[in-house]
Amino acid sequence: MTPAGLEQDSHAAGSRDAEQEGRKAASLAVGALLAVSLGLTAALLVFSAYQYRSQVISEAENRSIAIARVLEEHAARTLGIHASTLSHMEWMVDDLGWDRIDGTPLLFERLKAMAAQSPEVQSYWITDETGRVRASSYEWPMRPLNAGDREYFRAHLNPGTMLYIGPRLNGKIVSDVVFTLSRRMELPDHRFQGVAQISLLPSYFTDFYRSVLHGSRDVILLMREDGEVLVRNPMIAPQDSAAIGHFPELISAPDRNGIFRAVTPSDGIERLLARRKVPDLPVYVVYGTDVASIEAAWRDRVLPYVLTAFPALGLLGLLGGIALHRSRQAVNAQKALRRANEALEGRIAERTRHLDQALADKEVLLRDIHHRVKNNLQVILSLLELQAQRSPELEAPFSEALTRINTMGLIHEQIYRSTGVSAVRLDNFVEALAGHLNSFHRRPGRTIVIRHRVEPVSLDLNRVVPFALILNEVVSNAYKHAFTGRCSGTIDIAVKAEDGSLHLTIEDDGTGAPEPEDAAPPGRRSMGMDLIRAFTRQIHGEYHFARGAGTRFDLAFPQEADPA
């Protein structure tokens, strides 16, 4: 072979080596690009999975908190109304006395009518200081029964326990499972007088909880402060079981903004729990969302990306253009997921709006009830006035009843006209009541002026009625007795808040009302003084009269209601 041939062979070998080097470099570049693409894709997949997990958990937490707030509002309204009913039952006992309760069916008929109007109430019970059942909504005369062995009765032997929620138990007459809401009754000297008690049906709460339960493995609990379960939905134990669980760890567990994770002991399921304390009551509501369902929702949301990522990785190894196309598909899928998320958030917002609307409707319903009560009182007032006109001999005794009924009507009118239904503004109410009393007691040739200085404070519904009737009695008494033989006079009304108490002062410049009759036996006192004493005790206040140039009445009572 010639040297020229050797040179050509050497050049061909060099070209082949250069080509091999170029292919190797290209392979390395493709390999590096593929490795980088795989790494970036895997990192994005892990990051997206983490982000979606946080988002799903956040949605579950917000949903659980929203439902727990609805449950808290339901329990506060339901149990709060019955706590007020217990105070009314104590007032009925004070009004009737044990002898009339034993001798007449009047209290039984009242309790029976009240129980028929409340689907959540199984029965009402009243026991004396020995534990003997003196009245109920079941029967009259009352068979010999003693509730001294009941937990709620033993709890009220302690003077510091005014309001108590007992555990689930079986009734003594009817074996229905109930839980109790009870109140300690006291004599004026704070001695133990007995217990007023309401037996509530857990099934009423279970039916409501079923309507707000989100998932099939979610759980709702109504619990006492000691962890005793009063209501559970869904139920695991039989419906007629008195004890369905005692889980103090669910009450004492630390939380973050009301949310914590725990395994519910009754079924061993790990749940995300939202816990809310019902205001002014020793009871909690707990809503639990199944953690497994949250994980499943997260997997369902991430799975489309996982299924899309692996084919995209395979196609990325074959052709860069296909990889670009797949990336565009991923962007489209991201947009579709975002739209799905927005639709889901819209549904959650719509559900929340419906819940808010339901709460607003309940408030409107309560205002409508006060409006109807006011109208009914007006009808009663008109009937009594008509009767008094036809029977002149009844005009004097009817006049006091008419002012009391009208005072109660004014209370309900103020509630109806206000934007809320939990309290009454005293300045507006006193102004309206003063106008009514001045109009009612106006006589030809006599001018009595009522002046009022009332701070813009509000009083809750449980105490505004006794406050108003005390005011009515004292002012009416001044009209009747303080200005005898005079053609003019002035009555000053003042209400101010000081050191956590409200102070009511009523002062006239007349000749003086009759001396207070506190020292007289109960059978000889006027009804007005008996009402003043009873209503003052009901709002835990103190009062006294003072005689000078006229008569001065002072009343002081706590500004805030007793939380018990």
Side-chain angles (χ1 to χ4, degrees), residues 320-523:
I322 297 177
L324 181 60
H325 179 66
R326 291 296 183 185
S327 65
R328 291 176 179 176
Q329 286 185 336
V331 171
N332 293 334
Q334 179 73 20
K335 292 179 180 179
L337 183 60
R338 190 186 302 105
R339 287 194 296 269
N341 288 340
E342 291 174 354
L344 179 60
E345 291 174 356
R347 289 196 296 269
I348 293 174
E350 181 67 15
R351 185 180 181 90
T352 303
R353 186 184 67 80
H354 286 313
L355 292 175
D356 292 340
Q357 183 62 41
L359 292 177
D361 291 343
K362 290 181 181 178
E363 183 172 346
V364 171
L365 177 60
L366 288 175
R367 292 181 60 198
D368 183 63
I369 290 173
H370 285 293
H371 180 55
R372 292 176 182 271
V373 170
K374 181 256 181 183
N375 289 343
N376 290 338
L377 289 174
Q378 188 62 43
V379 171
I380 295 173
L381 189 67
S382 300
L383 292 174
L384 290 176
E385 290 177 345
L386 182 61
Q387 184 66 38
Q389 292 174 3
R390 296 192 175 186
S391 302
E393 68 277 5
L394 299 177
E395 182 176 358
F398 273 19
S399 63
E400 295 182 359
L402 292 175
T403 60
R404 293 165 185 150
I405 293 173
N406 197 77
T407 298
M408 298 180 71
L410 285 174
I411 295 171
H412 289 281
E413 181 178 1
Q414 291 294 319
I415 297 172
Y416 169 70
R417 292 183 176 180
S418 62
T419 57
V421 294
S422 60
V424 172
R425 278 278 299 265
L426 291 186
D427 51 349
N428 297 334
F429 174 72
V430 171
E431 181 180 1
L433 181 59
H436 155 70
L437 292 174
N438 197 11
S439 175
F440 186 84
H441 292 285
R442 183 180 293 118
R443 299 290 184 271
R446 187 177 74 165
T447 302
I448 306 298
V449 177
I450 298 182
R451 299 181 300 193
H452 44 82
R453 303 183 308 279
V454 182
E455 295 183 1
V457 296
S458 297
L459 192 61
D460 59 272
L461 300 185
N462 292 334
R463 300 185 298 160
V464 72
V465 173
F467 171 84
L469 291 176
I470 291 173
L471 179 61
N472 176 81
E473 293 300 326
V474 176
V475 174
S476 296
N477 193 57
Y479 265 106
K480 290 188 292 183
H481 301 291
F483 305 105
T484 303
R486 292 179 53 180
C487 60
S488 64
T490 302
I491 300 175
D492 289 303
I493 302 174
V495 177
K496 65 178 181 178
E498 185 178 15
D499 299 330
S501 297
L502 289 180
H503 296 268
L504 168 66
T505 301
I506 304 173
E507 187 173 9
D508 64 69
D509 60 356
T511 58
E515 288 292 341
E517 299 174 339
D518 286 355

Side-chain angles (χ1 to χ4, degrees), residues 233-251:
N233 191 3
M235 282 287 290
I236 296 179
Q239 294 287 344
D240 57 351
S241 297
I244 59 174
H246 181 251
F247 313 130
E249 61 273 18
L250 298 184
I251 301 298

